[in-house]
Amino acid sequence: MTSVRPAPAPASGGSSPPESRFRIATRRRLGRDWRLAALFLAPTAVLVGGLVLVPIAWSVITSTTERHGQQSVFVGLANYLALADDEQFHAGVLNSFVFTAYAEVFKAVLGLSAALLLHHRRRGRAVLAGLLLLPWVVPTVVTAFSWRSLLDPIFGSVNMLLTESGIGPLLVQLHLVDSWPAGWLSEPSLAMPSVIMVNVWKGVPFFTVAFLAGLKAIPADLYEAATVDGASPWRRFLHVTLPGLRHVITVTVTLSSIWTFNNFDLIWLLTQGGPGNATAPYVLVAYSKAILQLQYGAGAAVTLVMLPVIGGLVFVLVRLLRRDSGVAPPRRARKPRPAPTTRTVRTALPWVVAVATAALLAWASPHIFWKAAVVLGVFVLVAAAVGRVVSALGAWGRRRASSLVSRLASWVALAGLLLFVLAPLYWIVVTAFKSDGQIVMHDRDLWPTPWSLQQFTDLFATKPFGRWYLNTVLVSVASTVVALVCAALAGYALARLRFRGAQGFTVTVLVTYVMPGALLFIPLYQLLIGVRLTDSLWSLVVTYPTFTLPFATWLLAGYFASIPVELEEAALVDGCTRFQAFLRVMLPLAKPGLLAVALFTLTNAWNEFLFAFVFITKDEYKTLPVGMQSMITGDVVPQGQLAAASLLVSIPVVIMYAFGQRFLTEGLTAGAVKG
């Protein structure tokens, strides 16, 4: 075996040249691979810095100005002080809090229940998990239009089915609704609960998948030991399952809370913040001030005032993600065990937060609080009753009866969950193949006879749907290529190269990953106006990496770190340069991670609404979500054409996830394994 020896030192005893000493000092100060790292990180740094960090800084400056005609005048903190008396802003903040809190509670409860049902099922688990994942996969615009169609007080099937079954009048007697038929999205007392329900429908699959992965990671020995000790199923759930899922629950709820708190597209597509301001979140208030009223300073102040709330959630999430990804520095000394008082405070803190949140919800939305409490109470009582029956039968020695009751209850719960998940999607499919007469007359609502292609032909004949489709494909592919190239270079640098500032760059990537678009759309809109890129597809290609590139970089950094370093070292010994080893060794081995990133970025660009809605106004440049929203004119909702469009929009995404599910799972999980 040939050994590689360093070059001999110069014979002269003089000092090394100044240039060599400077190079050595620079490498010692900046790290061994700082040159290559700077080259690899430059594209990501330019995009993240120019499209996330600089716009946020510019937003801070904009918030201190006020527009007078064509001029912007410095007003200091006047925009912030004006928010103290702004009732629209107060209502927006309150709506965002109520919307987020109720949605997260129900998503966590239903997601955990679905995960437990799937975890204990041996046959058909993959199929059931795939079906439950559909609401998360389909675009938000499809979610909004399907539920808007179902909840329509005149043409929707929800009121009709509840009336025919007698449940609707019963809801009035129980004071859950004020009158019948109910205006789910048009009555102030029902609009917010309805929007929350739709968000729960959309978000439960994400919680289910996350909790299911967490359940698989809990050692089976813990359950066996608890069973031997005589613990009931309820005690095993409290003392084994919940502690084992504590970290997963914290990460999932925190990340989902950031998304939900800054939600714009779902609420806008369902109610546009109405009736009145009953469902308008603070993001919609910022949009109204900045885009509709052209008061950029006031709109920026609205988003920045909420930055401490978002910053707190981001801080918690980044700490958790850093611990997961191994970014946090290693502990040199073992910390002493916390004192009993500290442990008591840590144990009591979640309960204090829960009680405080419940009290705030009861004060902020009493008309929703007691209804939500009734629904959750009934759910818990039914689950507890079934568990008590199963435990009692097992204690009496009737194992077959106990198993039968348990399986029957599981199937009933799964059937109810699948009905809740699949009913809106089934409604979209059958409505797309109805004629206009069938939709208006409610003729054969659940099974159109005959099946008709009228909606599809009318869609392409009367709307520029083909152009919208082509725009979406072009923007999605272009932004995916940009994100994929930049993320591959940056992820490799963070995983393999040694340079000063790697940890800080990784933390910055994690922070920008969870930074909501609500903080960016106002300064980005100003930037695009300044460079005259509004109303062009380039405005979307340039800005879409703001919400795809950080996550793609973080994911690929974890995946590259999972590849054994010996493979790359062997290529270097054989004469490859670092860049050649990256191209010929690392990229082929990282194919699952690259495919996962491509799938993630492509679907996010395909579904994006806020930026496209703000930056594009001309029909010829609209993407599918914005184009479909523009099909609604006042109170005229072309339900058949929207259903046909929703079906055509969803099919590519569902196909991509169906074929790429294996690569997505492998790409998302491999980063946890360190090479």
Side-chain angles (χ1 to χ4, degrees), residues 204-228:
V204 162
F206 173 71
F207 278 71
T208 302
V209 172
F211 292 162
L212 191 59
L215 288 172
K216 293 179 180 178
I218 299 177
D221 299 343
L222 298 179
Y223 289 103
E224 295 175 359
T227 304
V228 170

Side-chain angles (χ1 to χ4, degrees), residues 12-27:
S12 60
S15 60
S16 55
E19 183 178 349
S20 177
R21 282 182 295 168
F22 174 76
R23 186 177 301 174
I24 294 173
T26 303
R27 289 187 59 181

Side-chain angles (χ1 to χ4, degrees), residues 45-59:
V46 170
L47 287 176
V48 171
L51 297 177
V52 179
L53 302 181
V54 172
I56 290 178
W58 181 253
S59 183

Side-chain angles (χ1 to χ4, degrees), residues 144-349:
F145 288 138
S146 60
W147 278 102
R148 186 168 176 170
S149 176
L150 285 170
L151 297 175
D152 188 278
I154 300 175
F155 299 105
S157 291
V158 170
N159 278 352
M160 181 176 297
L161 292 175
L162 293 179
T163 300
E164 294 178 354
S165 63
I167 298 177
L170 180 62
L171 294 177
V172 177
Q173 296 178 7
L174 296 175
H175 301 288
L176 293 175
V177 298
D178 297 330
S179 60
W180 196 259
W184 299 101
L185 297 176
S186 58
E187 295 181 13
S189 61
L190 293 178
M192 180 60 81
S194 300
V195 172
I196 292 171
M197 179 190 65
V198 177
N199 182 264
V200 170
W201 180 85
K202 179 74 173 174
V204 162
F206 173 71
F207 278 71
T208 302
V209 172
F211 292 162
L212 191 59
L215 288 172
K216 293 179 180 178
I218 299 177
D221 299 343
L222 298 179
Y223 289 103
E224 295 175 359
T227 304
V228 170
D229 291 341
S232 63
W234 175 248
R235 290 189 174 275
R236 291 199 298 270
F237 173 75
L238 287 180
H239 299 291
V240 179
T241 303
L242 284 184
L245 290 177
R246 181 174 55 190
H247 181 68
V248 176
I249 291 174
T250 304
V251 172
T252 305
V253 171
T254 305
L255 182 58
S256 179
S257 297
I258 296 172
W259 293 339
T260 307
F261 191 77
N262 296 280
N263 188 283
F264 173 85
D265 48 359
L266 183 64
I267 297 177
W268 177 266
L269 292 168
L270 283 171
T271 65
Q272 296 189 359
N277 290 320
T279 59
Y282 87 95
V283 183
L284 198 149
V285 175
Y287 167 80
S288 176
K289 291 180 179 296
I291 308 302
L292 299 182
Q293 303 173 19
L294 296 180
Q295 292 296 334
Y296 300 126
V302 171
T303 60
L304 291 173
V305 160
M306 303 311 299
L307 190 58
V309 177
I310 303 170
L313 295 174
V314 170
F315 176 77
V316 172
L317 183 63
V318 167
R319 285 181 61 89
L320 294 171
L321 293 178
R322 287 180 64 190
R323 187 174 69 181
D324 286 348
S325 59
V327 176
R331 298 175 182 175
R332 297 184 178 180
R334 186 176 180 181
K335 292 185 178 181
R337 295 184 63 184
T341 305
T342 305
R343 292 200 300 270
T344 303
V345 170
R346 290 181 179 178
T347 304
L349 184 60

Side-chain angles (χ1 to χ4, degrees), residues 12-75:
S12 60
S15 60
S16 55
E19 183 178 349
S20 177
R21 282 182 295 168
F22 174 76
R23 186 177 301 174
I24 294 173
T26 303
R27 289 187 59 181
R28 186 176 302 168
R29 189 181 306 112
L30 300 180
R32 184 189 66 188
D33 304 316
W34 72 273
R35 291 175 179 269
L36 191 60
L39 180 64
F40 275 42
L41 293 175
T44 299
V46 170
L47 287 176
V48 171
L51 297 177
V52 179
L53 302 181
V54 172
I56 290 178
W58 181 253
S59 183
V60 174
I61 298 174
T62 302
S63 67
T64 62
T65 64
E66 184 175 298
R67 184 163 180 163
H68 290 189
Q70 298 295 326
Q71 301 295 325
S72 294
V73 180
F74 178 77
V75 294

